[in-house]
């Protein structure tokens, strides 16, 4: 069993930055694909970013490309999401997710992830 605890959300003004963290326990994340999804009020949960095991290939939703950066520290068993130039439309609950052996074509598919964090709220004011 893999347990994920995400944190780092908060209230910021547009243009500011936040860094989300997701710490895993239960086992190492060797071979796991890690991702971030978000769910805004009144909207469906959507893919934000993902990072694979080896190599550390990254994937981003078009809406966050150039602004968000996903990374992982395997020694700390932690995945991060650096969010710069935040916009009001980034307001959402952000969830980290993980799964072992996700094929590339399923990287964007939330159904491919079997472990999830509890979510952390990000609110961006205008």
């Amino acid at each position: 069993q893999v347990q994920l605890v995400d944190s780092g959300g908060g209230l910021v003004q547009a243009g500011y930055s936040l860094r989300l963290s997701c710490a895993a326990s239960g086992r190492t994340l060797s071979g796991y694909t890690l991702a971030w999804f978000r769910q805004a009020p009144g909207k469906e949960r959507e893919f934000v970013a993902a990072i694979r095991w080896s190599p550390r290939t990254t994937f981003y939703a078009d809406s966050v490309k150039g602004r968000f950066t996903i990374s992982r520290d395997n020694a700390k068993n932690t995945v991060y999401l650096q969010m710069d130039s935040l916009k009001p439309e980034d307001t959402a609950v952000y969830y980290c997710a993980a799964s072992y052996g996700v094929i590339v074509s399923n990287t964007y598919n939330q159904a491919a992830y079997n472990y999830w964090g509890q979510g952390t709220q990000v609110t961006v004011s205008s």
Side-chain angles (χ1 to χ4, degrees):
Q1 180 75 7
V2 175
Q3 297 170 301
L4 303 175
V5 179
D6 37 26
S7 61
L11 172 62
V12 298
Q13 293 182 344
Y16 282 68
S17 298
L18 284 173
R19 188 176 75 159
L20 306 183
S21 299
C22 177
S25 62
R27 64 151 292 153
T28 67
L29 295 176
S30 177
Y32 280 71
T33 294
L34 307 174
W36 290 92
F37 291 80
R38 67 186 182 187
Q39 187 165 21
K43 298 184 66 177
E44 298 290 329
R45 183 179 295 178
E46 65 177 356
F47 173 83
V48 177
I51 183 167
R52 297 181 66 83
W53 166 245
S54 182
R56 293 184 181 184
T57 308
T58 56
F59 304 80
Y60 297 95
D62 288 341
S63 59
V64 306
K65 285 182 179 178
R67 299 189 299 119
F68 290 10
T69 303
I70 187 171
S71 62
R72 64 193 295 171
D73 186 335
N74 292 329
K76 296 181 178 179
N77 232 29
T78 300
V79 60
Y80 304 95
L81 184 68
Q82 177 67 42
M83 305 185 295
D84 298 323
S85 301
L86 282 162
K87 303 175 180 180
E89 54 261 43
D90 295 318
T91 295
V93 177
Y94 284 70
Y95 300 88
C96 64
S99 193
Y100 182 83
V102 176
I103 62 175
V104 174
S105 61
N106 274 337
T107 299
Y108 303 90
N109 184 4
Q110 62 181 305
Y113 297 87
N114 55 341
Y115 300 106
W116 293 83
Q118 81 285 354
T120 184
Q121 174 70 231
V122 172
T123 302
V124 184
S125 65
S126 59

